[in-house]
Amino acid sequence: THTAPPTGYLNTKSLSGIAFLPGSDEHFMSGAGGLLVRNNAGFFPAQTTNTTANLNAVWAGTQAIYMVGDGGTIVRRNAGDGQDGMVQTSGTTANLRAVSGANDTTIFAVGDGGTALLGNGTSWTKLPTITSQTLYGVYAVDSSTVIAKGKR
């Protein structure tokens, strides 16, 4: 689901996800057509993601920001100024709907068809699930406890 942009946001693309850097007011918003916006002290500069896929969700760790989206798209952007996103190989073409990390080396992504992926910061592997329904949300409690929600 895409929502209306915040006041001061000048881009016309819809937004779909938001994540705050740990211990910071700085946050990132993902959206349509490969959009990633960084809000740092009220400024909304668009960030380079190197994709045109819709980015449905975003999660921020201490070292990197991860976006997931349509067609199995995963983008990793290092934290800090002047960083561009780099598309990572996900091993799936399913639309990815949510992403969450226990830490910077244990990241989970979920999506259509019961797709679940585990990332370590550089690569992704498919995880078994007990459903073929779309998974819309994921929360990594820690590196061994993950909660996913979906359509029944």
Side-chain angles (χ1 to χ4, degrees):
T1 303
H2 296 273
T3 58
T7 303
Y9 171 74
L10 302 177
N11 199 305
T12 59
K13 294 180 181 178
S14 297
L15 300 170
S16 56
I18 185 169
F20 286 80
L21 283 176
S24 171
D25 287 339
E26 182 177 356
H27 56 280
F28 292 83
M29 297 170 281
S30 61
L35 181 68
L36 177 65
V37 177
R38 178 182 181 198
N39 182 342
N40 189 7
F43 296 101
F44 296 94
Q47 306 289 295
T48 302
T49 60
N50 291 303
T51 186
T52 58
N54 291 333
L55 297 174
N56 301 316
V58 58
W59 176 79
T62 57
Q63 298 174 3
I65 295 86
Y66 293 87
M67 292 123 308
V68 298
D70 291 353
T73 301
I74 298 177
V75 177
R76 180 185 193 271
R77 178 201 184 274
N78 289 335
D81 292 333
Q83 302 293 321
D84 289 342
M86 298 303 296
V87 176
Q88 295 187 318
T89 301
S90 68
T92 185
T93 58
N95 293 337
L96 299 173
R97 306 290 178 175
V99 60
S100 179
N103 53 53
D104 284 294
T105 58
T106 309
I107 307 108
F108 299 90
V110 297
D112 292 0
T115 299
L117 304 173
L118 170 63
N120 64 11
T122 57
S123 63
W124 295 84
T125 56
K126 192 166 186 174
L127 296 173
T129 62
I130 59 171
T131 185
S132 61
Q133 298 295 316
T134 296
L135 297 171
Y136 290 103
V138 64
Y139 178 70
V141 177
D142 56 38
S143 60
S144 61
T145 307
V146 180
I147 301 166
K149 69 173 189 143
K151 186 176 180 180
R152 186 170 189 178

